Amino acid sequence: MNTTLERPTIRHVHGRRMQCKDIPDEILCDAVRHTAPPWPLQPGDARWRMSWDVHDALETVMGPIPERLFRAKIKRLFAKGLLGGCDCGCRGDFHLTEECKAGAYLCGYC
């Protein structure tokens, strides 16, 4: 018996398919902000967060979010300059641009 929970591929809100606009920017930025980096930080280290950890944190607040919708919303936040890192669809490596611009480190993406 497979006990792995699979994320839905479609979610409906208000009688229609969920869209990026249904995920508030601030809620997703808070999910990034409250997700711990996957390794202990050393002085000057980047605060990268893995995609799956951020996705889990977002789902804790909003309920199930399809993977493709999550990726699309992440790309929009990159385009708006709210997130930095890698949005290619690999493991993630997201951080808030405000952290990068605060002078603690420079990621090379911002």
Side-chain angles (χ1 to χ4, degrees), residues 36-78:
W39 57 84
L41 290 176
Q42 301 299 319
D45 278 356
R47 289 190 48 88
W48 301 110
R49 281 72 157 209
M50 300 296 106
S51 175
W52 48 83
D53 295 333
V54 173
H55 197 164
D56 287 344
L58 180 64
E59 287 185 328
T60 299
V61 176
M62 294 197 63
I65 306 287
E67 182 72 26
R68 290 180 62 180
L69 180 60
F70 173 74
R71 293 253 177 240
K73 184 64 178 188
I74 290 291
K75 285 183 179 286
R76 288 182 185 227
L77 293 183
F78 270 74

